[in-house]
Amino acid sequence: MGRVRRKKMHKGDKPLKEKYRTKRRTKDFDEIHEDMKPGNAEALLNQDLDYDKPGGAQHYCLHCTKYFIGARALSDHFKSKPHKRRIKALQMEPYSQEEAERAAGMGSYIVPKTVEVKTQGTKEVMEAEEPVKDGT
């Protein structure tokens, strides 16, 4: 008398499940490039106090689109490998409709440009670097 083997019936479903999950979905690179524009970046880095977000939405990584509980956690995050990988990935220019049309055969291929991306400074560092304006 043999043992009844349990079959793995849905072996190939895992990638499909992960593809459609949206709980921990981060922004795409083109959305992050839009957020990195000066007006949008200033608004995201200087948000109003929101108690529903970690750290009251006062410590935000613009490139990784994450909130942190304090300045120390944010500065530690800047030194981490996932943040450095994200910075490197953001150095490539985001896809555009023109590039998609060229890939479909409606034009000549142009090598994507690189964009200079630097890690943002924390609020304390940015305040210390601002020049003091004298009234005289």
Side-chain angles (χ1 to χ4, degrees):
M1 188 158 149
R3 197 169 76 169
V4 178
R5 191 177 88 114
R6 192 171 174 182
K7 295 181 180 179
K8 296 180 182 178
M9 299 299 291
H10 300 283
K11 187 176 182 182
D13 289 348
K14 188 175 181 189
L16 285 176
K17 287 181 194 175
E18 290 175 356
K19 181 179 178 183
Y20 294 111
R21 286 188 184 149
T22 58
K23 185 175 181 182
R24 291 184 186 92
R25 179 157 166 69
T26 59
K27 290 184 176 181
D28 291 326
F29 293 136
D30 58 337
E31 295 173 314
I32 295 172
H33 274 281
E34 190 68 31
D35 288 345
M36 286 174 22
K37 292 182 179 174
N40 297 339
E42 192 68 31
L44 284 171
L45 293 176
N46 299 319
Q47 295 182 31
D48 293 333
L49 195 61
D50 184 3
Y51 293 110
D52 292 334
K53 296 188 175 149
Q58 299 302 302
H59 309 284
Y60 181 71
C61 178
L62 189 63
H63 307 105
C64 301
T65 64
K66 285 186 179 183
Y67 292 96
F68 294 92
I69 59 171
R72 175 74 185 253
L74 181 62
S75 64
D76 288 344
H77 165 74
F78 288 153
K79 299 172 191 169
S80 70
K81 195 172 242 183
H83 178 76
K84 291 176 183 177
R85 275 192 228 127
R86 179 59 67 104
I87 292 287
K88 188 168 185 166
L90 285 170
Q91 288 177 349
M92 188 68 68
E93 186 181 43
Y95 291 114
S96 63
Q97 183 62 34
E98 293 81 24
E99 187 172 357
E101 289 171 357
R102 287 193 300 265
M106 301 172 67
S108 299
Y109 176 72
I110 299 174
V111 179
K113 299 174 188 168
T114 57
V115 180
E116 184 179 345
V117 179
K118 293 181 184 176
T119 298
Q120 72 196 38
T122 58
K123 288 183 182 179
E124 292 81 18
V125 173
M126 289 169 39
E127 290 172 358
E129 290 178 357
E130 286 183 11
V132 177
K133 295 180 182 176
D134 293 333
T136 58

